[in-house]
Amino acid sequence: QQPVQSPQAVILREGEDAVINCSSSKALYSVHWYRQKHGEAPVFLMILLKGGEQKGHEKISASFNEKKQQSSLYLTASQLSYSGTYFCGTAQGGSEKLVFGKGTKLTVNP
Amino acid sequence: GAGVSQSPRYKVAKRGQDVALRCDPISGHVSLFWYQQALGQGPEFLTYFQNEAQLDKSGLPSDRFFAERPEGSVSTLKIQRTQQEDSAVYLCASSFRGAKLFFGSGTQLSVL
């Protein structure tokens, strides 16, 4: 039931792009993306509902492929502030319960 | 309040002691969630409430874990007879009916 995230870790130079993937073996109702910096609480980035929509937040966008039960988070022209661990959280059957993946640690270096 | 408030921020317990962790959600948020986060891992679902009703407690690891939200606002997560494997950060989050979760800063529990 826990979604699988890949890759586990990414190291970028400032200005480079990255893609983080999240997949589930179960039919999904929605996918949430959060970013957590070391020692801090997770912070909401965006929600995607079933329907294959794509959303954007600054230079961060995401897609949701309902048929494949996958979501991808796209970070373009990365900034130092993008460093942190990214978690996808998935909900099934209209339940509010979110199950989170193990996370992808993103490091952006100057 | 301005955000989700959790207390205490840090808790050290001797093995076998009981602990109570408090969560004060954002005013007006109907839903409240508890998660356990081990070092380097993602948040693991424990339980959630809609108002005072506990709708899902499937993630509670054992009957030593108990959560309540008697008036539909403040919630308490109680762990009885703590064990070393209970050491983790306990995160509380609130939301308004399935929208984005707002997380508190968490309570870091260390069981010695």
Side-chain angles (χ1 to χ4, degrees):
Chain A
Q1 190 174 1
Q2 182 180 42
V4 177
Q5 287 187 234
S6 63
Q8 288 185 318
V10 183
I11 299 176
L12 300 175
R13 287 213 178 273
E14 206 172 359
E16 291 181 337
D17 302 341
V19 180
I20 300 171
N21 299 303
C22 174
S23 64
S24 174
S25 59
K26 302 275 189 179
L28 298 177
Y29 178 77
S30 66
V31 179
H32 294 220
W33 286 97
Y34 292 79
R35 177 172 61 210
Q36 185 176 32
K37 294 185 180 283
H38 183 69
E40 299 180 7
V43 173
F44 171 82
L45 293 175
M46 63 190 74
I47 293 178
L48 299 104
L49 303 178
K50 64 178 183 178
E53 65 179 289
Q54 187 151 352
K55 281 199 166 185
H57 173 77
E58 297 177 344
K59 293 180 181 176
I60 300 174
S61 62
S63 63
F64 180 17
N65 187 320
E66 182 187 344
K67 289 183 180 178
K68 292 186 177 180
Q69 290 142 207
Q70 290 178 347
S71 178
S72 295
L73 187 71
Y74 307 93
L75 300 104
T76 57
S78 59
Q79 303 170 16
L80 296 176
S81 61
Y82 287 2
S83 292
T85 301
Y86 289 76
F87 295 101
C88 69
T90 57
Q92 296 160 9
S95 168
E96 292 185 70
K97 170 185 171 181
L98 276 189
V99 179
F100 287 94
K102 291 180 184 274
T104 297
K105 184 175 181 180
L106 177 73
T107 304
V108 181
N109 292 320
Chain B
V4 178
S5 177
Q6 290 188 247
S7 60
R9 185 74 177 89
Y10 302 94
K11 177 69 179 177
V12 178
K14 290 184 179 178
R15 192 171 52 153
Q17 280 186 332
D18 297 348
V19 297
L21 313 180
R22 176 188 168 104
C23 174
D24 202 337
I26 293 172
S27 178
H29 277 194
V30 171
S31 303
L32 184 146
F33 305 79
W34 283 100
Y35 286 87
Q36 180 190 61
Q37 187 173 28
L39 191 63
Q41 299 295 314
E44 295 269 354
F45 173 83
L46 294 176
T47 184
Y48 95 95
F49 295 83
Q50 200 171 84
N51 295 307
E52 67 277 6
Q54 190 173 20
L55 298 188
D56 189 328
K57 56 181 181 179
S58 61
L60 295 176
S62 73
D63 57 8
R64 297 186 295 104
F65 286 71
F66 172 76
E68 59 182 5
R69 194 186 185 197
E71 297 178 358
S73 179
V74 172
S75 177
T76 304
L77 177 67
K78 297 179 180 178
I79 309 173
Q80 296 177 325
R81 305 181 303 282
T82 52
Q83 300 177 7
Q84 283 191 320
E85 60 261 32
D86 299 335
S87 296
V89 175
Y90 290 84
L91 293 168
C92 175
S94 69
S95 76
F96 185 72
R97 297 193 182 279
K100 63 183 180 180
L101 299 188
F102 291 82
F103 282 88
S105 298
T107 293
Q108 185 169 331
L109 174 65
S110 299
V111 181
L112 306 178

